[in-house]
Amino acid sequence: MAVRGIRGAITVAVNEEAAILEATERLMRSVIEANEIEHEDVASVMITVTHDLDAAFPARGVRAIPGFDLVPLMCSNEIPVPGSLEKCIRIMMLVNTEKSIRDIRHIFLEGAAALRPDLNSQVK
């Protein structure tokens, strides 16, 4: 079994607590479903937000998912590169899995689909 990194990102329309929590939970559930992840196999999740999102800790959205209350989560700010995508939440989930690196499905939703069009064809 290997530890694999799974990436994902989503944008929100507004800097509001409900929007941040709902988007984070939606993104995580999409990654979990696409990769058939069991919470027991998750080593940790790193979550970043752009500087224009400060109304909530997105980790709270992850904790709403059954089984993720004990998974180590860390929130941080994304590097504020001029011209970068705004109102974006990104995740990096480290998962113990038998899947090959080519079988991992990275998920980019809403405006974040523009971040990795090369991987976005995997999203259904």
Side-chain angles (χ1 to χ4, degrees), residues 3-108:
V3 177
R4 302 277 185 218
I6 305 175
R7 292 193 51 207
I10 190 169
T11 54
V12 295
V14 292
N15 180 29
E16 294 177 358
E17 179 179 26
I20 292 168
L21 300 180
E22 289 168 12
T24 306
E25 183 177 351
R26 178 177 164 222
L27 174 60
M28 281 292 295
R29 287 183 182 275
S30 295
V31 169
I32 290 164
E33 181 180 331
N35 291 284
E36 301 171 318
I37 296 168
E38 298 292 332
H39 67 274
E40 287 286 333
D41 294 329
V42 179
S44 65
V45 181
M46 178 68 173
I47 308 162
T48 65
V49 294
T50 49
H51 283 63
D52 48 7
L53 295 178
D54 61 4
F57 289 107
R60 288 182 42 221
V62 177
R63 297 222 186 279
I65 301 170
F68 277 78
D69 55 325
L70 297 178
V71 172
L73 306 172
M74 176 74 68
C75 296
S76 181
N77 280 119
E78 192 70 32
I79 299 169
V81 175
S84 62
L85 188 61
E86 297 178 352
K87 294 185 180 67
C88 187
I89 302 163
R90 293 174 173 88
I91 64 161
M92 172 70 78
M93 186 183 323
L94 298 179
V95 178
N96 295 300
T97 182
E98 295 292 340
K99 292 184 182 211
S100 75
I101 197 166
R102 287 177 181 79
D103 292 331
I104 297 296
R105 295 201 43 223
H106 306 279
I107 305 296
F108 297 85

Side-chain angles (χ1 to χ4, degrees), residues 7 104-108 113 115-123:
R7 292 193 51 207
I104 297 296
R105 295 201 43 223
H106 306 279
I107 305 296
F108 297 85
L115 291 173
R116 290 297 306 262
D118 57 319
L119 296 179
N120 206 34
S121 63
Q122 297 179 12
V123 178

